[in-house]
Amino acid sequence: MVFKLRLIVQHLFFVLLTYGGRFGFHMGFALPCFSCPFVMGCGGSCYLLSLQGNWWGLQMALANWGTVMGLQALYYLGLFVLLTLALNKFWCGWICPFGTLQDWFTYLRRRLGIREAQLSWSARDRLKPVKYILLAYMIVVPLLIAHAGLHYDFHLPFCRSICPAKPLMPLFAGSTRHLALDFTNTVTLVFSILSVAIAGGMLVGMFFKERFFCLFCPMLVLIHLLRKISPVRFEKEVGACLGCGNCRRNCPMDIRDVHEQKTDKAVLSEDCMLCMTCTESCPADGVLSVRFFKWRLFSSSRDYVARRFIKPHKAGSVKVKV
Amino acid sequence: MDDNNKRRARLRSRVRQEVQTEYESARRLMEARDDYDPVWAYFLDLLMRPMDRNGLQAAVGRPVVEHLCNQAPYELFHAMGVHPLRMASGCFAAGRLSAGDFPVLMCPMLKAIVGMQRLRESSQTAPSARVVPTTCDWVVQYQQMTDADPEQTFFMELPHLRESERGQQRWLEQAYELVRFLESRMGVKLKRKALASSVQIFMRAWQAIGRLIEQRRAGRLPAVWFMAVANSFMLDPIEPWTEQLQRVLGHVDAHPSQAAGKGVFLAGSPILFPNFKLPLLIEAAGMTVLGDDLCTSERIWPGAVCPEENSFHGLLRALAERYHMACICPTFADNERRINTILGVLQRYPVRGVVHHVLKGCHPFDIDSFRLERQLKSAGIPFLRIETDYVEEDNRNIATRLEAFAEI
Ligand code: SF4
Ligand code: SF4
Ligand code: SF4
């Protein structure tokens, strides 16, 4: 079962990326997922930190290309590109520890039988540009610091004022310090208030709406930029789709494109995190498939749907021969 | 009793006799087939049940709620302790009883439904309620055709757009309305657990029928037997029916019949027992139906109920969408994916052409058949439109056309 395999992979990476450093495991500083370096002893670091960092960020590469520092920034970028090419959105759906944390909230809500908050189509569409704005914010502010004299207190703008992983993920390493307000000056205070408030809002959002933070995640944009040259493919045989809508309803990201697509076979959309839930719920044989180069990793089928959604027979009910 | 009433009573008793004869001879025809096996007897017994409502009521052991069309979720009725029974009939004789009161070119299935209801004696159990999804123009006239009690009739307003947000929301609201209607009529409260378990029970039936569909596609099961099984759906409680279906699967595994002749796909208006004339004529012309999109056959189970969300709302939404979005009834405006089911079967199985059945007076399928014809012919797929009703007079003519089609 794909969802079981995914759960195992997610939890394995949650442990590795949250505690790996304590055992000498570290996947580098350019991971295409929210493996937050503010977690003491983490096993790898989110590329967004490298992207914004004044000493290793994009602005450094631009200003100092050819120098060692510039090359180091490019090295991080290159590593990020390689990792993203290799696994593309699998980083989001299968590896990102912050994504796994969100899935725990959904699991809890479902166990309690509480219904999910549903966004209207227009509200969902209006949220789409937010991640671009956040990406612009984390690129422009460091540039302004480097080239337009903006005060250094604005450094790491996304991590320090927006990202909910920074206050929340260190809790798993026993640290509450990123929940504290920083009274050093107005900028730090505003940043820390924003950070804690957003984290609080996200906790509520994550409980009522599956993968709530992912709706705004700027990492999705960066990964998506490379989808065309990545060997990871998510395809639809449009001519055999029944239009049943299972893919749309079950998508944690409320993606409508997979259902609506009637002409193009590429359906890896901007917000997709390759969790494959849609493919698992599609009852049409071979209509949705996820591929790596030419190899098919998984394909939809009526048989799979039956195995995934029909609970094992209990005494007293009907036995179905499979 | 005045003369009029006497005449009507006489007519009713004559028609009742004819209905009986029609059902019985259709059954005998099935039993006389070379490929008949005792495993089919259960399903043939069920097909006879519409004539005996008291027997049916006793067999299902729950209050019966009648419904028209496939869009009212079976699981929902079942979870509320009632038995959903689809009003549909292929009986020519019953249709004659109501024909005089309606337009000549009215859907023969609706005529037969009304006729069967008129035949029902006062001693026979009346349904507890009726649910009518507003599909085609004939169906929306159901209440005035039958003088059904408006208090006991619930019209589910079916949005004719499925791919719009508004259409989907409205349909979900209608599912909630249906729950409220049944709760008030039956005096029960629908519980989340009951709904979840009902979904499971029907998914098991879906899984089993899926296997039978595969067997049929592989040419191991003649179309009429598949239709007999499909037509008998909900003429017995769902669980024993599924068990019998398992027996059938075992039988087909052990004794696969070999597809005789060219494979075809049968599309279009519903086909119902005792009127199996078209599948029988297709067979006689040397062709085998390997797949169909009839709402009385494979399309009783389109899509699948796959709820990721198991809250009450999540379950109801999954159900509502399965019955609305997965259905390719041409009463929907955005129905361009209808052809996909056909092409899907065409790609995977040795299907050489499409026979499109149009019941005279069934306007949605009639209109849609022209678009389908254009699409299929442009893809080089032979297409044959057969327009007919429940009479037998045109059998020779249809047989000749089918034979010519088989030659292509
Ligand atoms: S704070 Fe967020 S963006 Fe910054 S490094 Fe941590 S996870 Fe990445
Ligand atoms: S489109 Fe499919 S794979 Fe992508 S996020 Fe939605 S459910 Fe997951
Ligand atoms: S779940 Fe599959 S068949 Fe249903 S709409 Fe989506 S892609 Fe089409």
Side-chain angles (χ1 to χ4, degrees), chain A residues 236 241-247 259 282-284 287-288:
Chain A
K236 173 176 178 180
C241 163
L242 313 168
C244 70
N246 282 352
C247 51
H259 170 242
C282 172
V287 164
L288 297 179

Side-chain angles (χ1 to χ4, degrees), chain A residues 109-110 118 121 237-239 241 246 248-250 259 262 285 302 308-309 311 318 320-321, chain B residues 163 165 168 200 204 206-207 210 239 246 304 306 308-309 313 321 325 336-337 340 347-348:
Chain A
R109 177 181 55 72
R110 284 183 181 159
Q118 220 174 304
W121 292 14
E237 200 187 305
V238 287
C241 163
N246 282 352
R248 189 183 53 87
R249 186 185 62 255
N250 284 347
H259 170 242
K262 289 175 187 158
D285 290 332
R302 188 175 167 119
R308 165 86 157 84
F309 289 94
K311 295 205 180 87
V318 189
V320 169
K321 210 171 92 184
Chain B
E163 295 190 9
E165 182 179 28
Q168 286 160 23
Q200 286 294 315
R204 287 191 192 108
W206 171 87
Q207 183 183 28
E239 284 160 308
Q246 293 299 331
C306 307
E308 276 286 341
E309 288 291 322
H313 179 83
E321 290 193 0
M325 295 176 69
E336 66 264 43
R337 289 202 243 223
N340 291 1
Q347 270 164 18
R348 292 183 166 79

Side-chain angles (χ1 to χ4, degrees), chain A:
Chain A
M1 291 277 113
V2 171
F3 76 101
K4 284 192 185 151
L5 180 67
R6 182 169 161 244
L7 272 180
I8 295 171
V9 174
Q10 279 185 299
H11 286 88
L12 190 72
F13 273 100
F14 188 91
V15 173
L16 282 177
L17 293 175
T18 312
Y19 306 107
R22 298 168 191 233
F23 311 102
F25 173 86
H26 201 277
M27 291 179 74
F29 294 91
L31 295 187
C33 71
F34 276 31
S35 170
C36 187
F38 292 96
V39 177
M40 291 294 286
C42 69
S45 163
C46 164
Y47 175 67
L48 296 188
L49 185 95
S50 303
L51 181 69
Q52 300 162 79
N54 272 55
W55 305 111
W56 349 269
L58 199 60
Q59 68 290 346
M60 174 57 69
L62 288 175
N64 301 295
W65 65 281
T67 70
V68 175
M69 275 156 84
L71 282 179
Q72 188 177 359
L74 279 182
Y75 163 71
Y76 288 139
L77 178 65
L79 196 58
F80 172 76
V81 168
L82 275 181
L83 292 171
T84 305
L85 282 181
L87 294 177
N88 210 264
K89 297 286 184 62
F90 281 125
W91 284 103
C92 307
W94 291 64
I95 299 175
C96 180
F98 195 63
T100 305
L101 173 68
Q102 296 183 72
D103 290 347
W104 291 347
F105 279 89
T106 298
Y107 174 78
L108 182 67
R109 177 181 55 72
R110 284 183 181 159
R111 285 305 298 237
L112 296 172
I114 297 173
R115 81 181 245 195
E116 190 185 19
Q118 220 174 304
L119 296 173
S120 72
W121 292 14
S122 61
R124 180 67 189 85
D125 291 343
R126 274 200 298 274
L127 292 181
K128 281 189 178 175
V130 175
K131 53 188 178 296
Y132 288 92
I133 297 169
L134 295 179
L135 186 64
Y137 173 62
M138 76 177 78
I139 290 177
V140 170
V141 172
L143 282 174
L144 292 178
I145 296 174
H147 303 288
L150 186 68
H151 195 275
Y152 183 72
D153 280 342
F154 287 94
H155 79 286
L156 294 183
F158 180 76
C159 296
R160 290 172 52 239
S161 69
I162 309 272
C163 184
K166 179 172 163 279
L168 297 178
M169 294 309 283
L171 296 176
F172 291 95
S175 161
T176 51
R177 62 183 270 237
H178 296 283
L179 289 170
L181 301 184
D182 182 348
F183 289 94
T184 312
N185 59 36
T186 319
V187 176
T188 58
L189 184 62
V190 171
F191 267 26
S192 56
I193 289 176
L194 263 177
S195 170
V196 174
I198 288 176
M202 282 297 158
L203 282 177
V204 178
M206 276 148 48
F207 182 75
F208 288 104
K209 167 82 195 79
E210 194 171 6
R211 290 276 180 151
F212 184 64
F213 174 72
C214 299
L215 302 180
F216 313 96
C217 181
M219 190 74 90
L220 274 175
V221 180
L222 290 180
I223 300 180
H224 194 63
L225 285 175
L226 296 167
R227 77 191 177 285
K228 286 232 163 104
I229 43 171
S230 164
V232 178
R233 296 265 172 265
F234 179 25
E235 292 172 350
K236 173 176 178 180
E237 200 187 305
V238 287
C241 163
L242 313 168
C244 70
N246 282 352
C247 51
R248 189 183 53 87
R249 186 185 62 255
N250 284 347
C251 174
M253 299 293 284
D254 294 344
I255 290 168
R256 305 198 297 278
D257 310 38
V258 178
H259 170 242
E260 286 169 0
Q261 186 55 259
K262 289 175 187 158
T263 48
D264 194 357
K265 76 173 185 181
V267 281
L268 184 58
S269 60
E270 179 183 278
D271 289 345
C272 177
M273 50 159 182
L274 272 182
C275 65
M276 299 205 218
T277 309
C278 55
T279 314
E280 287 187 280
S281 341
C282 172
D285 290 332
V287 164
L288 297 179
S289 357
V290 177
R291 291 170 190 275
F292 190 74
F293 287 108
K294 65 180 178 21
W295 299 291
R296 195 160 55 191
L297 300 180
F298 180 61
S299 234
S300 61
S301 76
R302 188 175 167 119
D303 253 11
Y304 181 88
V305 163
R307 276 182 284 130
R308 165 86 157 84
F309 289 94
I310 300 177
K311 295 205 180 87
H313 161 77
K314 281 200 202 109
S317 57
V318 189
K319 202 176 216 145
V320 169
K321 210 171 92 184
V322 186

Side-chain angles (χ1 to χ4, degrees), chain B residues 327-365:
Chain B
C327 181
I328 53 86
C329 175
T331 53
F332 292 115
D334 45 2
N335 204 30
E336 66 264 43
R337 289 202 243 223
R338 178 178 173 204
I339 193 173
N340 291 1
T341 315
I342 302 176
L343 293 179
V345 177
L346 246 84
Q347 270 164 18
R348 292 183 166 79
Y349 302 91
V351 173
R352 305 267 173 271
V354 175
V355 176
H356 195 288
H357 171 230
V358 177
L359 269 180
K360 277 188 182 142
C362 174
H363 300 151
F365 275 106

